[in-house]
Amino acid sequence: MAGLPHNKMAMDPALVRVGNMVQNRYKYFRWTKRTAGISAVYIFAIPAIIGYLGYQNDGLWDLRAKRRGDIISER
């Protein structure tokens, strides 16, 4: 029981290939119109939308020291 190899498993070739692809992704990456567009959305558009929504709601809600029946809207 102590010396037997109980952890032998057959590795799935598809999972091994996906693991290698994930580890070596930087070697095969190329800038195309599609990857540049997706990167621009994640770098500029999404933070701009979140910033705009945050700026519009800044100071609108005050949740500190409120009691039952008090309104949370400050405007």
Side-chain angles (χ1 to χ4, degrees):
M1 193 159 122
L4 296 176
H6 292 289
N7 58 355
K8 293 234 176 188
M9 292 182 62
M11 297 297 290
D12 186 9
L15 291 177
V16 171
R17 191 171 67 226
V18 168
N20 289 334
M21 184 177 61
V22 168
Q23 286 179 351
N24 297 319
R25 184 174 305 206
Y26 69 96
K27 294 179 183 177
Y28 305 107
F29 179 79
R30 291 193 181 161
W31 284 105
T32 61
K33 287 184 180 182
R34 181 175 186 266
T35 57
I38 292 171
S39 298
V41 167
Y42 281 111
I43 293 171
F44 299 114
I46 291 176
I49 291 169
I50 292 172
Y52 175 75
L53 292 174
Y55 182 74
Q56 291 299 317
N57 290 317
D58 186 34
L60 184 61
W61 311 105
D62 186 18
L63 300 176
R64 297 181 66 177
K66 295 294 180 181
R67 295 185 178 168
R68 189 177 304 172
D70 291 345
I71 60 171
I72 61 172
S73 178
E74 293 294 321
R75 289 186 186 174

